[in-house]
Amino acid sequence: MWRSCFEHLLGWDFAKQRSSIDGGIFGRMRAFYGSSEYTERGSLHSHYLIWLEGACDPSEMHVKLRDDAFQQRFFVFFEDIIHHHLPDIEADIDPRFEPRMERPPNVPLDIICDGDPPADVSKEWDSMVMSQTKQCGEALQRHTCRAVCHKYGKDATCRFLFPHEIVDESHFDADTNSVVFKCLDGTVNYFNPNILVCCRHNHDLRCILSGKSAKAAMFYISDYITKMDTKTYEMLSLLSRAVSRIPSSHGDDSPSSRARTLLHKCLSQFTRQQQIHAQQAA
């Protein structure tokens, strides 16, 4: 699924290992990197960093944002691809609605073909996408605090920092070099309507505009790459169990033989305790 998303939505040519000529919904990509894991419920969980062609480093961006014309173009671009609110329309949403179990809508041929589509077709498609964004957003992007939000001692607050602060207009603070994006709904996570409607899964989309944020993102992804499925206390318990099952004496009592037996016992313990989800087995 992620390959389809990168190829058809983000415009990445896997055969040539570069962005397609036309690019995707974010423009032309220069590179991307990511890691994936399976959650305890067995669903795929991924983190990706995306570099866009022509993007400035944070210091250069802060200088350019002092120009009013550039600042206006900058916010128009990012407010178009990153939303922090759902469409303000009425929608009759079935409580049992599960967008992840449905296929995305089929794009009309008049929209796909070259040239401008008929006005009525374009209007109908835009209306359908807006309705789908509202329905999928309510089901997937709206945050409701659960027990997982209060792990690691966060009893009084949500560790995901919900609700977010309401911001009526995007703006740049030249004194602190802070870029603040518009947020009209504090309980809706950052998302892209095209990714939401086509992929039908929740996601969190952020623009990294400072060295601190860039390092935090890299550390976060690196942590996922190196994270082991088995917790430290579980590993120590398994090692202890493996050592206790080594015979006190046997025919070949040489150090190399005992070390080989210990490694074999440890491997057997880890293999027996490893969780394999149905998606991984398939």
Side-chain angles (χ1 to χ4, degrees):
M1 179 178 178
W2 72 270
R3 288 180 66 94
S4 296
C5 177
F6 272 81
E7 181 177 354
H8 300 291
L9 289 179
L10 305 185
W12 185 259
D13 189 333
F14 283 93
K16 298 180 180 179
Q17 291 295 300
R18 66 187 185 201
S19 179
S20 62
I21 295 177
D22 296 329
I25 57 178
F26 300 151
R28 288 171 56 87
M29 289 169 47
R30 185 171 63 181
F32 70 90
Y33 178 78
S35 62
S36 300
E37 67 165 357
Y38 285 94
T39 66
E40 292 183 357
R41 291 178 294 179
S43 59
L44 189 64
H45 186 66
S46 303
H47 297 264
Y48 288 97
L49 286 172
I50 297 174
W51 288 264
L52 300 180
E53 286 189 7
C56 309
D57 63 61
S59 299
E60 186 180 358
M61 181 66 71
H62 295 156
V63 173
K64 289 190 173 185
L65 282 171
R66 284 168 167 77
D67 178 74
D68 292 338
F70 177 85
Q71 185 180 133
Q72 182 180 8
R73 296 197 307 272
F74 173 87
F75 285 125
V76 167
F77 172 74
F78 277 104
E79 287 180 5
D80 182 57
I81 63 174
I82 301 178
H83 290 206
H84 207 314
H85 61 279
L86 301 176
D88 187 17
I89 60 174
E90 293 293 332
D92 186 16
I93 305 175
D94 189 332
R96 297 169 297 177
F97 174 62
E98 178 47 81
R100 287 167 289 198
M101 302 298 292
E102 298 181 358
R103 289 183 177 274
N106 293 321
V107 183
L109 291 177
D110 291 328
I111 300 289
I112 301 175
C113 297
D114 295 334
D116 296 329
D120 59 333
V121 175
S122 179
K123 184 178 180 180
E124 182 179 357
W125 171 252
D126 290 342
S127 176
M128 191 278 300
V129 170
M130 184 175 294
S131 176
Q132 284 280 301
T133 301
K134 175 69 172 181
Q135 295 181 56
C136 293
E138 291 290 354
L140 301 173
Q141 293 299 127
R142 187 170 297 284
H143 180 81
T144 302
C145 277
R146 299 179 177 87
V148 69
C149 299
H150 304 291
K151 292 169 60 178
Y152 313 124
K154 299 286 186 177
D155 296 329
T157 60
C158 174
R159 68 187 181 99
F160 301 111
L161 305 180
F162 281 97
H164 295 162
E165 181 182 357
I166 299 298
V167 180
D168 294 328
E169 294 291 339
S170 301
H171 61 274
F172 171 67
D173 188 338
D175 295 330
T176 61
N177 285 333
S178 300
V179 181
V180 183
F181 288 105
K182 179 167 64 176
C183 170
L184 302 182
D185 193 329
T187 60
V188 171
N189 213 356
Y190 296 92
F191 73 97
N192 176 269
N194 296 294
I195 295 178
L196 178 62
V197 173
C198 294
C199 296
R200 312 185 83 75
H201 278 275
N202 64 305
H203 58 281
D204 182 7
L205 190 63
R206 302 293 182 97
C207 176
I208 298 175
L209 292 171
S210 71
K212 182 179 179 180
S213 297
K215 284 185 282 188
M218 286 187 289
F219 280 128
Y220 191 65
I221 290 182
S222 299
D223 182 58
Y224 267 91
I225 295 174
T226 57
K227 186 173 70 173
M228 297 183 65
D229 294 331
T230 307
K231 305 293 190 298
T232 302
Y233 71 89
E234 295 175 333
M235 188 183 304
L236 292 175
S237 176
L238 292 174
L239 289 173
S240 175
R241 196 179 309 169
V243 172
S244 66
R245 292 184 177 181
I246 297 178
S248 57
S249 63
H250 45 78
D252 184 3
D253 215 20
S254 63
S256 60
S257 176
R258 292 186 61 82
R260 185 162 53 249
T261 302
L262 175 60
L263 290 174
H264 176 74
K265 293 290 184 181
C266 291
L267 180 60
S268 298
Q269 286 291 333
F270 289 143
T271 303
R272 281 199 293 267
Q273 296 296 325
Q274 186 177 10
Q275 293 181 351
I276 301 294
H277 300 290
Q279 294 89 331
Q280 292 173 288

